[in-house]
Amino acid sequence: MSAGQAAVEWSEPVWNVSQGLDHMRSEGRDEHPSHDLVTRWLAHRYRETFSLLDGGVMSAVTYEKLQLAGLAVDYTGIDRSATVLADCCQRFPRARWEHGNILDLAYGAATFDVVYARHLLEHVPYYETAVREMFRVARDSIVICLFQVPAEPERLLRRETPNGYIWLNRYAPGPLEALLRSLSVSVESHDVSLARRINRVYFCEKAPAGR
Ligand SMILES: C[S@@+](CC[C@H](N)C(=O)[O-])C[C@H]1O[C@@H](n2cnc3c(N)ncnc32)[C@H](O)[C@@H]1O
């Protein structure tokens, strides 16, 4: 850290240099067809205004794609990084940007019609707490997009960088999909690719409470 630079929360330095990490490059991420798949699914399902919680916003790319698709979305974006949020607030002051942790969401049960996490669950120590939190605060749908397509063997990797560490996990599909099915009435999964970048998207319809 250079002289005079303010101390920042643990997650910030990594995200501030994220363009230097190959899997974070904008090229191949912002134009990935997984965005289009998700906006089309949402457009088909929600004809009227719906609320959506977006976990881990970074460049606000999801917010931009939802706006471009013309969806009537009441959007809330959360992120752990104050710097990321300050940037989003400045660029898109009309959206709602809040500090938050996908592992411990500060919202009541069934607050949002849709809860979405794109390219986030790979970066938490493990997915189960995040998935359960997403289902808790969702009223209706949970959408998860992974850039590390689940495969055996599961690989939990805490990658060190000069600016901090970052989790870069690839999960085994069996237990992850069993968890999603146990919390849902239906789970659809789609693989979409751009060049060699494959994304897996899970669309889950939440089971009624108590199922
Ligand atoms: C790889 S970026 C994904 C950004 C965006 N969703 C996209 O698809 O390009 C991950 C983002 O999640 C944020 N993040 C990391 N851990 C988080 C957590 N536990 N809760 C909320 N946000 C988190 C990071 O600060 C970063 O902005």
Side-chain angles (χ1 to χ4, degrees):
M1 185 182 295
S2 63
Q5 198 177 342
V8 287
E9 67 193 72
W10 68 268
S11 63
E12 276 189 8
V14 166
W15 304 110
N16 290 344
V17 297
S18 58
Q19 291 296 311
L21 299 172
D22 180 65
H23 65 284
M24 297 284 183
R25 280 184 298 113
S26 297
E27 311 88 72
R29 286 173 50 80
D30 290 0
E31 73 272 26
H32 199 281
S34 57
H35 288 295
D36 189 46
L37 179 71
V38 172
T39 51
R40 280 191 287 116
W41 189 85
L42 291 171
H44 179 72
R45 196 171 165 90
Y46 298 97
R47 306 292 163 107
E48 317 239 306
T49 302
F50 64 98
S51 55
L52 180 144
L53 179 70
D54 180 22
V57 296
M58 198 156 77
S59 65
V61 62
T62 294
Y63 176 74
E64 286 190 277
K65 299 289 182 190
L66 294 169
Q67 298 303 305
L68 276 174
L71 295 180
V73 58
D74 177 10
Y75 176 93
T76 302
I78 60 156
D79 206 283
R80 285 200 63 148
S81 163
T83 309
V84 163
L85 291 170
D87 180 54
C88 291
C89 279
Q90 191 187 14
R91 291 170 50 227
F92 302 104
R94 288 165 61 175
R96 198 177 299 113
W97 304 104
E98 295 180 352
H99 192 261
N101 183 352
I102 197 75
L103 299 169
D104 185 14
L105 292 168
Y107 305 103
T111 301
F112 301 93
D113 293 314
V114 182
V115 180
Y116 183 24
R118 181 173 194 275
H119 297 190
L120 172 60
L121 299 190
E122 295 91 337
H123 299 309
V124 297
Y126 203 63
Y127 60 81
E128 182 170 350
T129 304
V131 167
R132 289 190 185 281
E133 277 294 85
M134 292 175 70
F135 273 80
R136 184 181 64 79
V137 305
R139 199 159 25 239
D140 193 20
S141 312
I142 296 85
V143 181
I144 295 169
C145 175
L146 300 170
F147 66 93
Q148 296 274 54
V149 174
E152 296 282 1
E154 185 156 84
R155 200 181 56 208
L156 306 182
L157 176 66
R158 196 176 109 145
R159 181 172 165 178
E160 305 296 334
T161 80
N163 299 282
Y165 68 83
I166 184 169
W167 287 97
L168 185 52
N169 295 339
R170 182 186 73 190
Y171 300 114
L176 168 63
E177 291 172 7
L179 176 63
L180 297 180
R181 282 195 302 273
S182 75
L183 298 169
S184 307
V185 285
S186 76
V187 179
E188 262 179 60
S189 117
H190 297 268
D191 288 352
V192 274
S193 60
L194 176 67
R196 287 181 8 254
R197 289 170 179 249
I198 304 172
N199 281 194
R200 173 157 306 167
V201 186
Y202 292 105
F203 295 105
C204 307
E205 190 185 339
K206 181 177 170 173
R211 195 188 100 147

